[in-house]
Every structure is written in C-alpha cells, then in structure tokens.
Amino acid sequence: MKTPINELSFYYNKLASKITDDIFDNLNDGIKWDQTQYDWPYDLLIDKEEDFRYLNFTYLVNRIPKKDFVKNDIIGSSGLDEICMPHVKIHMLMQERKWIKNYDYKYAQVIGVISHELHHLVQDFDLVEYQMPDNLIDYFLNPIEVEAFHIGFRAEASQSGKSIEECIRKYLDNFLSDDRITKKEYENIVVKWLKPEIKLLKGVNNES
C-alpha cells in the first residue's frame, strides 16, 4: 500500500505510537537507557542504496544540573549511524536527583518528536542545501525542517485534540515570549509549517 504522506492524518502512526508507548513504559519503570529495533512498515525509502526494513532506536535519560535546569525537554536525532544503520535517538532531559518516574512529559509532545525524527529518515537531504543553521529562523524555515515539523505537529494534534495550527502556535509562543523570534517571523513560520507539500523524499513519487 502506498504511504499517504500528504494526508493530514498521517504521521507514521502505528510506528510512532509503538515507540512512544515504549518510551513511557521506560519512564514509568525508571529506566535510564534502552535500545530497541523496530520494523519499518512503509514503502518510503530510508536509504537510496539499501532497502532497510527496520530501524534502531535509542532512548536515554540525560540529567541536567539543578542550576542549569529549565524544564523537562526532548532532543531527537535521526539518520544513518556510525555503522550506516538507520537510527533514531531520543534524549530525555531531566533534572538531576529527580526520580525518573516523576516525569513531566505529555504523550502528544513525545509522539510529535518521534514523528518528526521518523520523517527525517526518509528525506533526501541532497535535494536542498542543508547545513547547520547560523540562527533559529534559518533552522525553522529550512525546507527539510519545515516538512519534519509539520509531520510532528500532525502527530501532536492527533493525540492532543487540538488543531495543527494550535500546536504550532503553542510551540512557537515559547520563542516569541523570550524574544528569540519576532511577531513577523512567528507568523511566517506558522504559514510555512501549516500546509507544506511533503516532497523531499528518497526516490518516491509521493503524490497523494
């Protein structure tokens, strides 16, 4: 079956849900580190040369000193790892000396990050000029990230009961409130993230 990548209801639903469920199982059990392999059930290519049908996943709790801690957060990364295997890594940032089971993560937040990173696996970074951005706006508006943020907010909206636009604005409010972006930049990002065409994929005709 062809993956309905441009349908707003699609966010790698079953796989993202399975990974997110396992993350919350780890948090509830107080587990600091885990590594799992998942089947890749989609027709979208992870690699243009190898037909990978699985991905590796790493979950890790990172402790932040109390003096530097702001809030529980998540850092994700994805791509081919040091042995050229597809890999998604999620770092759960938590304050040191706090019990893992007393986490402050919402399911909708976590599945949004997972869907964002899963989408990066199938994107063809050769189609655009992608390099580490010099500033936040360049990062937010890079076509690669525009797609991934949109997919992530599809997932968050599905699980939170909010609209995609509401989820986007809630996320960007954090950057607007402390002057990391201007109101004009904020509105421009909302427009870009809200309804992009998903097309930066590895060798797939992705018309819906």
Side-chain angles (χ1 to χ4, degrees), residues 19 23 35 55-60 62 74-82 85-93 110 112-123 125 130 132 139 145 148:
I19 294 173
I23 288 174
Q35 193 166 74
L55 65 105
N56 294 324
F57 178 80
T58 297
Y59 151 97
L60 179 67
N62 290 112
I74 311 171
I75 295 177
S77 63
S78 59
L80 299 183
D81 60 21
E82 59 275 6
M85 296 297 178
H87 204 143
V88 173
K89 299 178 182 179
I90 295 294
H91 296 257
M92 314 297 285
L93 307 185
V110 176
V113 175
I114 296 302
S115 296
H116 178 122
E117 296 303 333
L118 289 176
H119 189 63
H120 276 324
L121 286 179
V122 305
Q123 289 179 299
F125 283 63
Y130 190 92
M132 291 303 294
Y139 168 68
E145 296 299 339

Side-chain angles (χ1 to χ4, degrees), residues 129-140:
E129 184 178 347
Y130 190 92
Q131 55 189 1
M132 291 303 294
D134 294 327
N135 58 67
L136 195 59
I137 301 303
D138 287 346
Y139 168 68
F140 282 160

Side-chain angles (χ1 to χ4, degrees), residues 66-79:
K66 185 176 181 179
K67 64 182 178 63
D68 300 322
F69 183 78
V70 178
K71 64 176 181 177
N72 284 2
D73 208 346
I74 311 171
I75 295 177
S77 63
S78 59

Side-chain angles (χ1 to χ4, degrees), residues 19-48:
I19 294 173
T20 304
D21 289 345
D22 289 347
I23 288 174
F24 277 93
D25 285 345
N26 286 336
L27 290 171
N28 290 326
D29 290 339
I31 294 173
K32 299 179 181 178
W33 180 90
D34 190 29
Q35 193 166 74
T36 310
Q37 189 171 94
Y38 296 94
D39 291 334
W40 180 254
Y42 307 105
D43 65 342
L44 301 172
L45 297 179
I46 294 177
D47 187 81
K48 288 184 284 189

